Amino acid sequence: MRRITLLIYVGLVIPFVGVGQVANGLIYFERQVKQASFEIPMKRFSETIDYRVLQSKVKYYDEWGKKRKLRPKDAKEFRFTYQGEAIRMVSVPGISNIYKSKKKSEGDVFLKCELDGPVKLLKYFDPPQVVMAGNEGDGFTSKPILVSKRKVTYILMRKGLTLELRQPFSVKDIVLFFPDCPDLHEKARKKRFGNKDSFFVAKYYNENCAVTE
């Protein structure tokens, strides 16, 4: 009987992208703002935007109708409206600046902005985990047999600094990231903040501790 070996690869992206939609919007460059029509990638058999694709690039038509490609290093952000929702994708430099692990940097990425203000709340769509099945008798032959449900990581950003909220984070994280908000320090001592508390943390700081210049 042949022996089947299962190998798990993290971060391999299978292009299950459906037919895209076109949405009008704006591109915010360093010194100017331009109108554009974006090709929005959709998940297959769904009307849901595939943000994982948008994190690395977006295709668009400029004011002369020429098709172009926009990457995170090219602009500060881009915006469009889809099904009544105003969507902002903000350019953030280097995933390695976000994650505390020593993984190789993915470079700049567009992250979906969930809350704006002195502290921005951004959403990163993690790459799926793919299980590969290979038959030892066939050498290295393998093919995907399962794609896991995609997960989300929330990220706080202020003054160019970022804090990842993937796991419950310590009081020390809160104190270092929000040195000017002692009330938030006290709340962190009473409760371990995690991924689900990200909106509360950002909103609380913006409304209670941020100084309006």
Side-chain angles (χ1 to χ4, degrees):
M1 180 180 295
R2 292 184 176 180
R3 183 180 176 186
I4 302 296
T5 301
L6 291 181
L7 303 175
I8 298 179
Y9 293 86
V10 179
L12 177 62
V13 179
I14 303 291
F16 289 147
V17 182
V19 178
Q21 301 284 341
V22 176
N24 295 325
L26 299 171
I27 302 175
Y28 289 74
F29 295 99
E30 191 64 37
R31 296 182 179 179
Q32 59 181 328
V33 180
K34 290 187 176 182
Q35 294 183 340
S37 295
F38 301 102
E39 285 189 358
I40 308 302
M42 312 300 292
K43 294 180 182 179
R44 180 169 289 186
F45 310 121
S46 170
E47 293 185 359
T48 304
I49 296 174
D50 195 332
Y51 288 101
R52 176 62 190 167
V53 175
L54 286 182
Q55 287 179 164
S56 61
K57 62 182 179 298
V58 64
K59 296 177 181 178
Y60 72 97
Y61 296 90
D62 62 19
E63 60 267 42
W64 295 285
K66 184 175 181 179
K67 190 172 183 179
R68 298 180 180 274
K69 187 180 295 183
L70 184 74
R71 296 189 181 277
K73 65 182 178 62
D74 300 328
K76 295 171 60 177
E77 66 177 87
F78 66 93
R79 305 180 184 183
F80 63 93
T81 300
Y82 178 71
Q83 292 187 344
E85 179 185 1
I87 296 171
R88 292 179 60 190
M89 300 295 293
V90 178
S91 178
V92 176
I95 282 294
S96 61
N97 295 333
I98 296 169
Y99 290 128
K100 298 174 183 178
S101 64
K102 296 181 180 180
K103 291 187 292 187
K104 182 179 180 181
S105 172
E106 290 189 18
D108 297 358
V109 290
F110 283 124
L111 299 184
K112 187 173 186 285
C113 185
E114 295 291 302
L115 181 67
D116 199 6
V119 169
K120 286 183 172 61
L121 177 64
L122 307 173
K123 183 185 288 187
Y124 175 75
F125 294 80
D126 299 329
Q129 295 182 351
V130 181
V131 178
M132 310 291 286
N135 192 314
E136 288 187 348
D138 295 332
F140 238 167
T141 302
S142 60
K143 58 183 179 179
I145 61 172
L146 175 66
V147 179
S148 67
K149 183 178 180 180
R150 293 177 177 177
K151 297 182 180 180
V152 166
T153 298
Y154 287 96
I155 294 155
L156 299 176
M157 184 170 72
R158 66 177 301 211
K159 298 179 179 179
L161 300 177
T162 56
L163 176 65
E164 173 198 346
L165 308 183
R166 180 186 296 272
Q167 300 294 335
F169 45 102
S170 66
V171 176
K172 182 180 179 180
D173 290 332
I174 292 294
V175 173
L176 290 176
F177 200 74
F178 301 105
D180 52 347
C181 194
D183 288 347
L184 199 54
H185 304 170
E186 186 62 28
K187 292 183 181 299
R189 293 186 181 98
K190 294 179 180 179
K191 177 185 177 181
R192 294 186 67 191
F193 290 132
N195 203 19
K196 295 180 180 179
D197 301 300
S198 54
F199 188 86
F200 166 79
V201 172
K203 189 171 185 291
Y204 187 89
Y205 178 85
N206 289 340
E207 293 182 353
N208 298 279
C209 299
V211 177
T212 304
E213 297 182 356

